[in-house]
Short mmCIF file of all heavy atoms in Angstrom, two decimals:
data_model
loop_
_atom_site.label_atom_id
_atom_site.label_comp_id
_atom_site.label_asym_id
_atom_site.label_seq_id
_atom_site.Cartn_x
_atom_site.Cartn_y
_atom_site.Cartn_z
N PHE A 65 117.96 123.59 221.03
CA PHE A 65 117.69 124.28 219.80
C PHE A 65 117.95 125.77 219.96
O PHE A 65 117.19 126.46 220.58
CB PHE A 65 116.26 124.02 219.33
CG PHE A 65 116.05 124.43 217.92
CD1 PHE A 65 116.87 123.93 216.96
CD2 PHE A 65 115.00 125.29 217.59
CE1 PHE A 65 116.68 124.27 215.65
CE2 PHE A 65 114.81 125.64 216.26
CZ PHE A 65 115.65 125.14 215.27
N PRO A 127 120.49 131.72 232.27
CA PRO A 127 119.07 131.77 232.57
C PRO A 127 118.23 130.93 231.62
O PRO A 127 117.23 130.41 232.01
CB PRO A 127 118.73 133.28 232.49
CG PRO A 127 119.80 133.84 231.63
CD PRO A 127 121.00 132.98 231.80
N ARG A 130 117.28 126.62 231.15
CA ARG A 130 116.30 125.92 231.92
C ARG A 130 115.05 125.62 231.10
O ARG A 130 114.27 124.74 231.46
CB ARG A 130 115.89 126.72 233.17
CG ARG A 130 117.09 127.04 234.07
CD ARG A 130 116.61 127.66 235.32
NE ARG A 130 115.80 128.84 235.04
CZ ARG A 130 114.82 129.24 235.81
NH1 ARG A 130 114.46 128.57 236.87
NH2 ARG A 130 114.15 130.33 235.51
N LYS A 132 112.94 124.59 227.59
CA LYS A 132 113.10 123.45 226.64
C LYS A 132 112.52 123.75 225.28
O LYS A 132 111.63 124.56 225.15
CB LYS A 132 112.37 122.22 227.24
CG LYS A 132 113.12 121.65 228.38
CD LYS A 132 112.55 120.30 228.77
CE LYS A 132 113.40 119.71 229.90
NZ LYS A 132 112.69 119.50 231.10
N ASP A 134 110.89 124.53 221.95
CA ASP A 134 110.51 125.75 221.26
C ASP A 134 110.77 126.99 222.08
O ASP A 134 111.10 128.05 221.54
CB ASP A 134 109.04 125.68 220.89
CG ASP A 134 108.75 124.48 219.96
OD1 ASP A 134 109.65 124.10 219.25
OD2 ASP A 134 107.64 123.94 220.00
N TYR A 135 110.56 126.89 223.41
CA TYR A 135 110.75 128.07 224.23
C TYR A 135 112.20 128.51 224.23
O TYR A 135 112.49 129.66 224.10
CB TYR A 135 110.30 127.77 225.66
CG TYR A 135 108.82 127.65 225.82
CD1 TYR A 135 108.23 126.40 225.90
CD2 TYR A 135 108.02 128.78 225.82
CE1 TYR A 135 106.84 126.31 226.02
CE2 TYR A 135 106.63 128.66 225.93
CZ TYR A 135 106.07 127.43 226.03
OH TYR A 135 104.72 127.33 226.15
N LEU A 138 113.02 130.21 221.03
CA LEU A 138 112.51 131.56 220.97
C LEU A 138 113.36 132.51 221.82
O LEU A 138 113.63 133.65 221.38
CB LEU A 138 111.08 131.54 221.48
CG LEU A 138 110.37 132.87 221.18
CD1 LEU A 138 110.26 133.02 219.68
CD2 LEU A 138 109.04 132.85 221.83
N VAL A 139 113.77 132.01 222.99
CA VAL A 139 114.53 132.89 223.88
C VAL A 139 115.90 133.21 223.23
O VAL A 139 116.36 134.34 223.25
CB VAL A 139 114.67 132.29 225.25
CG1 VAL A 139 115.72 133.04 226.09
CG2 VAL A 139 113.35 132.33 225.99
N GLY A 142 115.37 135.64 220.68
CA GLY A 142 115.13 136.91 221.32
C GLY A 142 116.43 137.59 221.70
O GLY A 142 116.68 138.76 221.48
N PHE A 143 117.36 136.81 222.28
CA PHE A 143 118.63 137.34 222.70
C PHE A 143 119.42 137.84 221.51
O PHE A 143 120.05 138.90 221.54
CB PHE A 143 119.44 136.33 223.49
CG PHE A 143 119.17 136.36 224.99
CD1 PHE A 143 118.60 135.33 225.63
CD2 PHE A 143 119.52 137.50 225.69
CE1 PHE A 143 118.30 135.39 226.97
CE2 PHE A 143 119.26 137.57 227.06
CZ PHE A 143 118.62 136.50 227.70
N GLU A 145 118.23 138.99 218.77
CA GLU A 145 117.66 140.29 218.33
C GLU A 145 118.02 141.41 219.28
O GLU A 145 118.27 142.51 218.88
CB GLU A 145 116.12 140.16 218.23
CG GLU A 145 115.66 139.31 217.07
CD GLU A 145 115.87 140.03 215.73
OE1 GLU A 145 115.31 141.10 215.52
OE2 GLU A 145 116.63 139.48 214.90
N LEU A 150 120.84 146.39 220.61
CA LEU A 150 121.81 147.08 221.47
C LEU A 150 122.95 147.67 220.69
O LEU A 150 123.35 148.80 220.88
CB LEU A 150 122.32 146.13 222.56
CG LEU A 150 121.38 145.80 223.67
CD1 LEU A 150 122.03 144.86 224.70
CD2 LEU A 150 120.86 147.06 224.41
N ASN A 153 122.14 150.67 218.75
CA ASN A 153 122.00 151.91 219.50
C ASN A 153 123.26 152.34 220.20
O ASN A 153 123.23 153.28 220.99
CB ASN A 153 120.88 151.72 220.53
CG ASN A 153 119.54 151.78 219.84
OD1 ASN A 153 119.09 152.75 219.32
ND2 ASN A 153 118.85 150.61 219.85
N ILE A 206 116.35 113.06 231.06
CA ILE A 206 115.95 112.56 232.39
C ILE A 206 116.88 111.41 232.85
O ILE A 206 117.39 111.39 233.97
CB ILE A 206 114.50 112.11 232.42
CG1 ILE A 206 113.60 113.30 232.14
CG2 ILE A 206 114.13 111.47 233.73
CD1 ILE A 206 112.15 112.96 231.95
N PHE A 251 118.19 137.74 212.25
CA PHE A 251 117.51 136.47 212.42
C PHE A 251 117.78 135.55 211.20
O PHE A 251 118.02 134.36 211.38
CB PHE A 251 116.02 136.83 212.55
CG PHE A 251 115.09 135.69 212.51
CD1 PHE A 251 115.20 134.68 213.44
CD2 PHE A 251 114.07 135.66 211.62
CE1 PHE A 251 114.35 133.60 213.38
CE2 PHE A 251 113.20 134.58 211.55
CZ PHE A 251 113.33 133.57 212.47
N ILE A 255 119.16 131.64 210.98
CA ILE A 255 118.40 130.58 210.30
C ILE A 255 119.26 129.84 209.31
O ILE A 255 119.27 128.64 209.23
CB ILE A 255 117.20 131.21 209.60
CG1 ILE A 255 116.18 131.76 210.58
CG2 ILE A 255 116.51 130.20 208.68
CD1 ILE A 255 115.40 130.73 211.27
N ILE A 262 120.98 121.31 210.08
CA ILE A 262 119.91 120.28 209.91
C ILE A 262 120.09 119.57 208.58
O ILE A 262 119.96 118.37 208.49
CB ILE A 262 118.54 120.97 210.03
CG1 ILE A 262 118.38 121.42 211.45
CG2 ILE A 262 117.43 119.95 209.63
CD1 ILE A 262 117.07 121.95 211.79
N MET A 266 121.83 116.37 212.00
CA MET A 266 122.20 116.82 213.35
C MET A 266 123.22 115.89 213.98
O MET A 266 123.06 114.69 213.94
CB MET A 266 120.95 116.83 214.19
CG MET A 266 119.82 117.61 213.59
SD MET A 266 119.84 119.27 214.13
CE MET A 266 119.11 119.08 215.74
N GLU A 291 117.46 136.48 189.47
CA GLU A 291 116.06 136.84 189.89
C GLU A 291 115.39 135.74 190.64
O GLU A 291 114.62 135.99 191.56
CB GLU A 291 115.25 137.22 188.67
CG GLU A 291 115.24 138.70 188.37
CD GLU A 291 114.41 138.93 187.13
OE1 GLU A 291 114.93 138.78 186.02
OE2 GLU A 291 113.21 139.30 187.32
N TYR A 292 115.63 134.52 190.19
CA TYR A 292 114.93 133.40 190.78
C TYR A 292 115.76 132.73 191.87
O TYR A 292 115.35 131.75 192.40
CB TYR A 292 114.62 132.37 189.72
CG TYR A 292 113.89 132.93 188.52
CD1 TYR A 292 114.56 133.32 187.39
CD2 TYR A 292 112.50 133.09 188.56
CE1 TYR A 292 113.88 133.82 186.31
CE2 TYR A 292 111.80 133.64 187.49
CZ TYR A 292 112.52 134.01 186.37
OH TYR A 292 111.85 134.55 185.32
N MET A 294 116.72 133.26 195.04
CA MET A 294 116.20 132.97 196.36
C MET A 294 114.97 132.08 196.32
O MET A 294 114.72 131.32 197.19
CB MET A 294 115.93 134.27 197.11
CG MET A 294 117.18 134.98 197.60
SD MET A 294 118.28 133.86 198.48
CE MET A 294 117.36 133.62 200.00
N ILE A 295 114.21 132.26 195.26
CA ILE A 295 113.02 131.42 195.11
C ILE A 295 113.43 129.93 195.00
O ILE A 295 112.91 129.10 195.71
CB ILE A 295 112.23 131.81 193.86
CG1 ILE A 295 111.76 133.27 193.98
CG2 ILE A 295 110.98 130.92 193.68
CD1 ILE A 295 110.99 133.80 192.83
N SER A 298 114.89 128.57 198.38
CA SER A 298 113.90 128.20 199.38
C SER A 298 113.10 126.98 198.95
O SER A 298 112.76 126.14 199.75
CB SER A 298 112.97 129.35 199.69
OG SER A 298 112.58 130.01 198.55
N LEU A 301 115.11 123.95 199.53
CA LEU A 301 115.12 123.66 200.96
C LEU A 301 113.89 122.79 201.37
O LEU A 301 114.06 121.77 202.03
CB LEU A 301 115.06 124.96 201.72
CG LEU A 301 115.59 125.00 203.12
CD1 LEU A 301 117.06 124.66 203.10
CD2 LEU A 301 115.38 126.36 203.70
N ILE A 302 112.76 123.20 200.85
CA ILE A 302 111.54 122.43 201.19
C ILE A 302 111.61 121.01 200.58
O ILE A 302 111.35 120.04 201.27
CB ILE A 302 110.30 123.17 200.66
CG1 ILE A 302 110.19 124.54 201.30
CG2 ILE A 302 109.04 122.35 200.88
CD1 ILE A 302 109.08 125.39 200.73
N MET A 305 113.96 118.80 202.47
CA MET A 305 113.48 118.40 203.73
C MET A 305 112.46 117.28 203.59
O MET A 305 112.38 116.34 204.38
CB MET A 305 112.82 119.59 204.46
CG MET A 305 113.78 120.38 205.29
SD MET A 305 114.37 119.41 206.62
CE MET A 305 116.09 119.42 206.38
N PRO A 309 114.62 113.76 205.02
CA PRO A 309 114.40 114.44 206.31
C PRO A 309 115.50 114.14 207.32
O PRO A 309 115.65 114.90 208.30
CB PRO A 309 113.07 113.86 206.83
CG PRO A 309 112.82 112.62 205.99
CD PRO A 309 113.53 112.83 204.68
N TYR B 23 100.07 125.51 216.39
CA TYR B 23 100.91 124.81 217.37
C TYR B 23 100.07 123.80 218.18
O TYR B 23 100.54 122.68 218.45
CB TYR B 23 101.56 125.84 218.27
CG TYR B 23 102.59 125.18 219.17
CD1 TYR B 23 103.88 125.01 218.78
CD2 TYR B 23 102.21 124.69 220.42
CE1 TYR B 23 104.81 124.37 219.55
CE2 TYR B 23 103.15 124.03 221.25
CZ TYR B 23 104.43 123.89 220.81
OH TYR B 23 105.34 123.25 221.58
N PHE B 31 106.61 129.05 210.69
CA PHE B 31 107.28 130.32 210.41
C PHE B 31 106.67 131.05 209.26
O PHE B 31 106.84 132.26 209.12
CB PHE B 31 108.78 130.03 210.20
CG PHE B 31 109.60 130.19 211.41
CD1 PHE B 31 109.99 129.03 212.12
CD2 PHE B 31 109.94 131.39 211.91
CE1 PHE B 31 110.71 129.19 213.29
CE2 PHE B 31 110.67 131.53 213.05
CZ PHE B 31 111.05 130.41 213.72
N LEU B 85 105.47 115.59 205.66
CA LEU B 85 106.42 115.50 206.78
C LEU B 85 105.71 115.13 208.10
O LEU B 85 106.31 115.22 209.13
CB LEU B 85 107.13 116.83 206.91
CG LEU B 85 108.27 117.05 206.00
CD1 LEU B 85 108.76 118.45 206.11
CD2 LEU B 85 109.39 116.09 206.28
N LEU B 91 112.03 119.36 214.14
CA LEU B 91 113.01 120.26 213.56
C LEU B 91 112.88 120.32 212.05
O LEU B 91 113.04 121.37 211.44
CB LEU B 91 114.40 119.85 213.98
CG LEU B 91 114.79 120.35 215.35
CD1 LEU B 91 116.22 119.94 215.64
CD2 LEU B 91 114.65 121.86 215.40
N ASN B 92 112.65 119.16 211.45
CA ASN B 92 112.56 119.13 209.99
C ASN B 92 111.38 119.94 209.50
O ASN B 92 111.46 120.68 208.52
CB ASN B 92 112.41 117.70 209.49
CG ASN B 92 113.64 116.91 209.77
OD1 ASN B 92 114.68 117.49 210.20
ND2 ASN B 92 113.65 115.63 209.51
N LEU B 94 110.10 122.33 211.08
CA LEU B 94 110.44 123.73 211.33
C LEU B 94 111.24 124.31 210.17
O LEU B 94 111.01 125.43 209.69
CB LEU B 94 111.29 123.79 212.59
CG LEU B 94 111.42 125.17 213.22
CD1 LEU B 94 110.12 125.53 213.84
CD2 LEU B 94 112.51 125.15 214.30
N ILE B 95 112.23 123.54 209.70
CA ILE B 95 113.04 124.01 208.58
C ILE B 95 112.18 124.18 207.33
O ILE B 95 112.32 125.12 206.55
CB ILE B 95 114.20 123.03 208.31
CG1 ILE B 95 115.12 123.03 209.48
CG2 ILE B 95 114.99 123.46 207.09
CD1 ILE B 95 115.75 124.33 209.82
N THR B 96 111.26 123.19 207.11
CA THR B 96 110.37 123.34 205.96
C THR B 96 109.61 124.62 206.09
O THR B 96 109.40 125.35 205.11
CB THR B 96 109.43 122.13 205.92
OG1 THR B 96 110.16 120.97 206.15
CG2 THR B 96 108.74 122.06 204.58
N ILE B 98 110.48 127.28 207.60
CA ILE B 98 111.38 128.43 207.29
C ILE B 98 111.56 128.54 205.78
O ILE B 98 111.52 129.64 205.22
CB ILE B 98 112.71 128.24 207.99
CG1 ILE B 98 112.50 128.38 209.51
CG2 ILE B 98 113.74 129.22 207.52
CD1 ILE B 98 113.66 127.95 210.35
N GLY B 99 111.74 127.40 205.10
CA GLY B 99 111.85 127.39 203.67
C GLY B 99 110.62 127.98 203.02
O GLY B 99 110.68 128.79 202.09
N MET B 100 109.47 127.58 203.55
CA MET B 100 108.21 128.13 203.01
C MET B 100 108.15 129.64 203.19
O MET B 100 107.71 130.32 202.26
CB MET B 100 107.08 127.47 203.83
CG MET B 100 105.76 127.49 203.16
SD MET B 100 105.74 126.37 201.80
CE MET B 100 104.60 127.18 200.76
N LEU B 102 110.65 131.74 203.40
CA LEU B 102 111.56 132.33 202.43
C LEU B 102 110.98 132.33 201.06
O LEU B 102 111.04 133.30 200.30
CB LEU B 102 112.89 131.64 202.43
CG LEU B 102 113.82 131.85 203.63
CD1 LEU B 102 115.01 130.96 203.53
CD2 LEU B 102 114.27 133.29 203.66
N LEU B 103 110.30 131.21 200.75
CA LEU B 103 109.74 131.05 199.37
C LEU B 103 108.65 132.15 199.16
O LEU B 103 108.67 132.84 198.17
CB LEU B 103 109.10 129.67 199.25
CG LEU B 103 108.57 129.31 197.89
CD1 LEU B 103 109.72 129.25 196.89
CD2 LEU B 103 107.89 127.96 197.91
N ASN B 106 110.19 135.58 198.79
CA ASN B 106 110.89 135.84 197.52
C ASN B 106 109.93 135.80 196.34
O ASN B 106 110.11 136.57 195.41
CB ASN B 106 112.02 134.82 197.36
CG ASN B 106 113.13 135.10 198.33
OD1 ASN B 106 113.70 136.15 198.35
ND2 ASN B 106 113.39 134.15 199.20
N TYR B 110 109.30 138.85 193.84
CA TYR B 110 109.31 138.68 192.41
C TYR B 110 108.04 139.23 191.77
O TYR B 110 108.09 139.96 190.77
CB TYR B 110 109.54 137.22 192.06
CG TYR B 110 109.62 136.98 190.60
CD1 TYR B 110 110.72 137.44 189.90
CD2 TYR B 110 108.62 136.30 189.93
CE1 TYR B 110 110.81 137.25 188.55
CE2 TYR B 110 108.74 136.08 188.57
CZ TYR B 110 109.85 136.54 187.89
OH TYR B 110 109.94 136.35 186.54
N PHE B 225 104.46 136.02 217.29
CA PHE B 225 104.87 134.74 217.80
C PHE B 225 105.26 134.85 219.26
O PHE B 225 104.92 134.03 220.11
CB PHE B 225 106.03 134.20 216.96
CG PHE B 225 106.56 132.90 217.41
CD1 PHE B 225 105.69 131.89 217.66
CD2 PHE B 225 107.92 132.74 217.60
CE1 PHE B 225 106.17 130.67 218.11
CE2 PHE B 225 108.40 131.52 218.02
CZ PHE B 225 107.53 130.48 218.27
N VAL B 229 103.66 132.98 222.55
CA VAL B 229 104.38 132.25 223.58
C VAL B 229 104.12 132.92 224.93
O VAL B 229 104.04 132.24 225.96
CB VAL B 229 105.89 132.23 223.26
CG1 VAL B 229 106.67 131.64 224.38
CG2 VAL B 229 106.13 131.42 222.03
N ILE B 233 101.77 129.05 224.55
CA ILE B 233 101.44 128.65 223.17
C ILE B 233 100.55 127.46 223.16
O ILE B 233 100.59 126.59 223.99
CB ILE B 233 102.77 128.40 222.37
CG1 ILE B 233 102.43 128.33 220.91
CG2 ILE B 233 103.51 127.16 222.86
CD1 ILE B 233 103.55 128.73 220.06
N THR B 260 114.16 153.82 220.19
CA THR B 260 115.02 153.04 219.25
C THR B 260 115.19 151.61 219.72
O THR B 260 115.63 150.78 218.97
CB THR B 260 116.40 153.67 219.10
OG1 THR B 260 116.86 154.04 220.38
CG2 THR B 260 116.37 154.89 218.17
N TYR B 261 114.85 151.34 220.97
CA TYR B 261 114.97 149.99 221.48
C TYR B 261 113.70 149.16 221.35
O TYR B 261 113.61 148.08 221.83
CB TYR B 261 115.38 150.00 222.94
CG TYR B 261 116.81 150.47 223.19
CD1 TYR B 261 117.06 151.83 223.46
CD2 TYR B 261 117.84 149.61 223.16
CE1 TYR B 261 118.31 152.29 223.67
CE2 TYR B 261 119.12 150.03 223.38
CZ TYR B 261 119.36 151.39 223.66
OH TYR B 261 120.62 151.79 223.87
N PHE B 267 111.17 141.17 223.00
CA PHE B 267 111.96 140.02 223.40
C PHE B 267 112.30 140.05 224.85
O PHE B 267 112.36 139.03 225.54
CB PHE B 267 113.15 139.81 222.52
CG PHE B 267 112.78 139.54 221.13
CD1 PHE B 267 112.94 140.53 220.14
CD2 PHE B 267 112.24 138.34 220.73
CE1 PHE B 267 112.56 140.28 218.83
CE2 PHE B 267 111.88 138.08 219.44
CZ PHE B 267 112.01 139.03 218.49
N LEU B 270 109.42 139.09 226.83
CA LEU B 270 109.26 137.61 226.69
C LEU B 270 110.17 136.85 227.65
O LEU B 270 109.80 135.95 228.36
CB LEU B 270 109.58 137.21 225.26
CG LEU B 270 109.63 135.70 225.08
CD1 LEU B 270 108.28 135.14 224.82
CD2 LEU B 270 110.61 135.36 224.01
N ILE B 271 111.47 137.28 227.64
CA ILE B 271 112.48 136.54 228.38
C ILE B 271 112.13 136.64 229.86
O ILE B 271 112.16 135.64 230.62
CB ILE B 271 113.89 137.07 228.06
CG1 ILE B 271 114.22 136.59 226.65
CG2 ILE B 271 114.88 136.51 229.05
CD1 ILE B 271 115.36 137.35 226.04
N LEU B 274 109.14 134.46 230.62
CA LEU B 274 109.43 133.02 230.50
C LEU B 274 110.29 132.51 231.70
O LEU B 274 110.24 131.38 232.06
CB LEU B 274 110.13 132.67 229.19
CG LEU B 274 109.19 132.52 228.02
CD1 LEU B 274 109.96 132.06 226.85
CD2 LEU B 274 108.04 131.57 228.31
N LEU B 275 111.12 133.44 232.21
CA LEU B 275 111.97 133.04 233.31
C LEU B 275 111.15 132.75 234.57
O LEU B 275 111.46 131.86 235.35
CB LEU B 275 113.05 134.10 233.64
CG LEU B 275 114.13 134.21 232.60
CD1 LEU B 275 115.13 135.24 233.00
CD2 LEU B 275 114.79 132.86 232.43
N GLU B 288 107.15 116.33 233.17
CA GLU B 288 107.51 115.26 232.30
C GLU B 288 107.56 113.93 233.05
O GLU B 288 108.18 113.85 234.11
CB GLU B 288 108.86 115.55 231.67
CG GLU B 288 109.06 115.03 230.28
CD GLU B 288 110.39 115.50 229.71
OE1 GLU B 288 110.74 116.63 229.96
OE2 GLU B 288 111.00 114.69 229.04
N VAL B 290 108.32 109.77 233.10
CA VAL B 290 109.18 108.80 232.41
C VAL B 290 108.41 107.51 232.26
O VAL B 290 107.82 107.04 233.16
CB VAL B 290 110.45 108.52 233.26
CG1 VAL B 290 111.43 107.73 232.37
CG2 VAL B 290 111.03 109.81 233.76
#
Side-chain angles (χ1 to χ4, degrees):
Chain A
F65 195 53
R130 300 188 304 150
K132 285 190 178 120
D134 299 331
Y135 289 102
L138 192 65
V139 168
F143 271 114
E145 288 288 299
L150 284 182
N153 286 294
I206 296 173
F251 171 58
I255 292 286
I262 293 186
M266 307 268 280
E291 265 179 279
Y292 306 96
M294 285 310 289
I295 300 179
S298 44
L301 203 63
I302 298 173
M305 272 294 122
Chain B
Y23 188 88
F31 267 100
L85 280 171
L91 278 183
N92 293 354
L94 196 72
I95 296 300
T96 315
I98 291 168
M100 200 70 211
L102 286 175
L103 186 65
N106 291 300
Y110 182 68
F225 179 49
V229 175
I233 193 152
T260 44
Y261 290 93
F267 296 106
L270 170 87
I271 289 164
L274 279 187
L275 287 183
E288 210 174 324
V290 193

